[in-house]
Amino acid sequence: MATPGAPRRFCRCACFCSENLYVARYGLHLRFRGKQQLLRDYGPTLRDRGCVSPKDFQQLLAELEQEVERRRQLGQESAARKALIAGSYRPARPEVYASLQVLLHELGLDEPLVTPLRERFLQPLMALLYPEYRGGPLDSHRAFVVKYAPGQDRELAYHYDNAELTLNVALGKAFTGGALYFGGLFQAPAALTEPLEVEHVVGQGILHRGGQLHGARPLGTGERWNLVVWLRASAVRNRLCPMCCRKPDLVDDEGFGDGFTREEPTTVDVCMLT
């Protein structure tokens, strides 16, 4: 049990490098611990989806190994980008980052913008809409801007978020299509016979539970930018990681990490006691 007032460190769960690896070619989110585990857990499903030859399987293995390594390097790469941006970013030239998924903490916008947004506005609103989060347990977030455009990402596969609650705001520009569609909660997924569809409207946000399965239909025309804020409650996820559905295996991380926390040892100033 957490000690009130004790210093905390934000962490991620070790499963980040092995769970929910998405392979678009086969439309699957996979757990990957190695070749034999992959064959044992997904062999028949992969064959049904078209992974039938040794060459197909070797390509899949290489893709998964590359994704695992990418995830392992994310923390170091993010810190390097943040340092680079701090030294060169100029607000008058946002086009520098136009083709990227922009993580707001790398731009130095967590403390002046996103944290106040979460604490002063989103937390009271969430307490009304989702009473289980009344009392202020949404204690971290991950905020980023994504771009959808022809020739780039146009849609998003069916998935759930690594968050307790999600805010998705359409920032612009002019576009058609790309509606969000929703199914059930990932803990009890239902067949997508009649998914609920919600159209994006520029300047308006959509709130939903992070564990609610959802995706984005293909963009028709134009270009759309979205601000996405994953809202996290350490009191909830410290008990059960939403990505591996086990007690989290905590790994130190930068910033808010993935919203998990552990208490840091309390230091005592010996000079003050003598």
Side-chain angles (χ1 to χ4, degrees), residues 130-151:
Y130 304 95
E132 62 268 38
Y133 297 112
R134 185 178 293 123
L138 292 173
D139 52 2
S140 72
H141 60 264
R142 184 176 182 86
F144 51 95
V145 173
V146 292
K147 176 186 178 183
Y148 296 88

Short mmCIF file of all heavy atoms in Angstrom, two decimals, residues 130-151:
data_model
loop_
_atom_site.label_atom_id
_atom_site.label_comp_id
_atom_site.label_asym_id
_atom_site.label_seq_id
_atom_site.Cartn_x
_atom_site.Cartn_y
_atom_site.Cartn_z
N TYR A 130 -17.12 9.80 -14.85
CA TYR A 130 -16.65 8.46 -14.42
C TYR A 130 -16.41 8.52 -12.91
O TYR A 130 -15.29 8.79 -12.46
CB TYR A 130 -15.37 8.08 -15.16
CG TYR A 130 -15.50 8.12 -16.66
CD1 TYR A 130 -15.12 9.25 -17.39
CD2 TYR A 130 -16.01 7.03 -17.37
CE1 TYR A 130 -15.25 9.29 -18.77
CE2 TYR A 130 -16.15 7.06 -18.75
CZ TYR A 130 -15.77 8.19 -19.44
OH TYR A 130 -15.89 8.24 -20.81
N PRO A 131 -17.45 8.28 -12.12
CA PRO A 131 -17.36 8.47 -10.66
C PRO A 131 -16.24 7.68 -9.99
O PRO A 131 -15.77 8.07 -8.92
CB PRO A 131 -18.74 8.00 -10.16
CG PRO A 131 -19.64 8.17 -11.34
CD PRO A 131 -18.80 7.88 -12.54
N GLU A 132 -15.81 6.56 -10.59
CA GLU A 132 -14.74 5.77 -9.96
C GLU A 132 -13.43 6.54 -9.91
O GLU A 132 -12.51 6.17 -9.16
CB GLU A 132 -14.54 4.45 -10.69
CG GLU A 132 -14.10 4.55 -12.13
CD GLU A 132 -15.24 4.56 -13.12
OE1 GLU A 132 -16.29 5.18 -12.80
OE2 GLU A 132 -15.11 3.96 -14.19
N TYR A 133 -13.31 7.62 -10.70
CA TYR A 133 -12.08 8.41 -10.67
C TYR A 133 -12.27 9.71 -9.90
O TYR A 133 -11.48 10.64 -10.03
CB TYR A 133 -11.61 8.70 -12.10
CG TYR A 133 -11.26 7.43 -12.84
CD1 TYR A 133 -12.04 7.00 -13.92
CD2 TYR A 133 -10.19 6.65 -12.44
CE1 TYR A 133 -11.74 5.82 -14.58
CE2 TYR A 133 -9.89 5.47 -13.09
CZ TYR A 133 -10.66 5.06 -14.16
OH TYR A 133 -10.37 3.89 -14.80
N ARG A 134 -13.31 9.80 -9.09
CA ARG A 134 -13.51 10.96 -8.24
C ARG A 134 -12.47 10.95 -7.13
O ARG A 134 -12.14 9.91 -6.58
CB ARG A 134 -14.92 10.95 -7.64
CG ARG A 134 -15.26 12.20 -6.82
CD ARG A 134 -16.68 12.13 -6.32
NE ARG A 134 -17.65 12.21 -7.42
CZ ARG A 134 -18.57 11.31 -7.67
NH1 ARG A 134 -18.67 10.24 -6.89
NH2 ARG A 134 -19.40 11.45 -8.68
N GLY A 135 -11.91 12.09 -6.81
CA GLY A 135 -10.94 12.15 -5.73
C GLY A 135 -9.51 12.35 -6.19
O GLY A 135 -8.59 12.44 -5.39
N GLY A 136 -9.31 12.45 -7.51
CA GLY A 136 -8.01 12.85 -8.03
C GLY A 136 -7.00 11.78 -8.32
O GLY A 136 -5.81 12.04 -8.27
N PRO A 137 -7.38 10.53 -8.65
CA PRO A 137 -6.36 9.53 -8.90
C PRO A 137 -5.76 9.56 -10.30
O PRO A 137 -4.84 8.80 -10.57
CB PRO A 137 -7.10 8.20 -8.67
CG PRO A 137 -8.50 8.51 -9.05
CD PRO A 137 -8.73 9.94 -8.65
N LEU A 138 -6.27 10.41 -11.21
CA LEU A 138 -5.65 10.51 -12.54
C LEU A 138 -4.39 11.36 -12.39
O LEU A 138 -4.40 12.58 -12.53
CB LEU A 138 -6.62 11.14 -13.53
CG LEU A 138 -7.85 10.30 -13.89
CD1 LEU A 138 -8.82 11.10 -14.74
CD2 LEU A 138 -7.44 9.02 -14.61
N ASP A 139 -3.27 10.68 -12.09
CA ASP A 139 -2.07 11.40 -11.67
C ASP A 139 -0.97 11.47 -12.73
O ASP A 139 0.12 11.97 -12.44
CB ASP A 139 -1.51 10.79 -10.39
CG ASP A 139 -1.31 9.28 -10.47
OD1 ASP A 139 -1.57 8.71 -11.53
OD2 ASP A 139 -0.90 8.69 -9.45
N SER A 140 -1.25 11.00 -13.94
CA SER A 140 -0.26 11.15 -15.02
C SER A 140 -0.97 11.06 -16.36
O SER A 140 -2.17 10.77 -16.44
CB SER A 140 0.85 10.11 -14.91
OG SER A 140 0.38 8.82 -15.26
N HIS A 141 -0.19 11.29 -17.40
CA HIS A 141 -0.77 11.29 -18.75
C HIS A 141 0.33 11.05 -19.78
O HIS A 141 1.52 11.11 -19.47
CB HIS A 141 -1.45 12.63 -19.05
CG HIS A 141 -0.49 13.79 -18.96
ND1 HIS A 141 -0.36 14.55 -17.83
CD2 HIS A 141 0.42 14.27 -19.85
CE1 HIS A 141 0.58 15.46 -18.02
NE2 HIS A 141 1.07 15.31 -19.25
N ARG A 142 -0.09 10.80 -21.00
CA ARG A 142 0.79 10.81 -22.17
C ARG A 142 0.02 11.52 -23.27
O ARG A 142 -1.08 11.10 -23.63
CB ARG A 142 1.15 9.39 -22.60
CG ARG A 142 2.15 9.32 -23.77
CD ARG A 142 2.52 7.88 -24.06
NE ARG A 142 3.50 7.74 -25.12
CZ ARG A 142 4.83 7.81 -24.95
NH1 ARG A 142 5.32 8.05 -23.74
NH2 ARG A 142 5.66 7.64 -25.96
N ALA A 143 0.57 12.60 -23.77
CA ALA A 143 -0.13 13.43 -24.75
C ALA A 143 0.69 13.53 -26.03
O ALA A 143 1.91 13.72 -25.99
CB ALA A 143 -0.37 14.83 -24.18
N PHE A 144 0.01 13.40 -27.16
CA PHE A 144 0.71 13.45 -28.44
C PHE A 144 -0.25 13.92 -29.53
O PHE A 144 -1.48 13.88 -29.37
CB PHE A 144 1.30 12.08 -28.80
CG PHE A 144 0.33 10.94 -28.71
CD1 PHE A 144 -0.35 10.49 -29.83
CD2 PHE A 144 0.10 10.29 -27.50
CE1 PHE A 144 -1.25 9.42 -29.75
CE2 PHE A 144 -0.79 9.22 -27.41
CZ PHE A 144 -1.47 8.80 -28.53
N VAL A 145 0.32 14.39 -30.61
CA VAL A 145 -0.44 14.83 -31.78
C VAL A 145 -0.11 13.88 -32.93
O VAL A 145 1.06 13.57 -33.18
CB VAL A 145 -0.09 16.28 -32.16
CG1 VAL A 145 -0.77 16.67 -33.48
CG2 VAL A 145 -0.50 17.25 -31.06
N VAL A 146 -1.15 13.42 -33.61
CA VAL A 146 -0.97 12.51 -34.75
C VAL A 146 -1.59 13.14 -36.00
O VAL A 146 -2.52 13.94 -35.91
CB VAL A 146 -1.60 11.12 -34.50
CG1 VAL A 146 -0.84 10.39 -33.42
CG2 VAL A 146 -3.07 11.26 -34.13
N LYS A 147 -1.05 12.73 -37.13
CA LYS A 147 -1.50 13.27 -38.41
C LYS A 147 -2.01 12.13 -39.29
O LYS A 147 -1.37 11.08 -39.40
CB LYS A 147 -0.34 13.98 -39.11
CG LYS A 147 -0.66 14.49 -40.51
CD LYS A 147 0.60 15.05 -41.16
CE LYS A 147 0.34 15.53 -42.59
NZ LYS A 147 1.60 16.00 -43.23
N TYR A 148 -3.16 12.34 -39.94
CA TYR A 148 -3.71 11.41 -40.92
C TYR A 148 -3.79 12.15 -42.26
O TYR A 148 -4.32 13.26 -42.31
CB TYR A 148 -5.10 10.93 -40.52
CG TYR A 148 -5.14 10.13 -39.24
CD1 TYR A 148 -5.27 10.75 -38.01
CD2 TYR A 148 -5.03 8.74 -39.27
CE1 TYR A 148 -5.30 10.01 -36.84
CE2 TYR A 148 -5.06 8.00 -38.11
CZ TYR A 148 -5.20 8.64 -36.89
OH TYR A 148 -5.23 7.91 -35.73
N ALA A 149 -3.25 11.51 -43.31
CA ALA A 149 -3.26 12.16 -44.61
C ALA A 149 -3.05 11.11 -45.70
O ALA A 149 -2.45 10.06 -45.44
CB ALA A 149 -2.16 13.23 -44.70
N PRO A 150 -3.54 11.36 -46.93
CA PRO A 150 -3.28 10.43 -48.03
C PRO A 150 -1.78 10.24 -48.23
O PRO A 150 -1.00 11.19 -48.14
CB PRO A 150 -3.92 11.14 -49.25
CG PRO A 150 -4.97 12.02 -48.65
CD PRO A 150 -4.41 12.48 -47.33
N GLY A 151 -1.38 8.99 -48.47
CA GLY A 151 0.04 8.69 -48.63
C GLY A 151 0.76 8.49 -47.32
O GLY A 151 1.94 8.12 -47.31
#
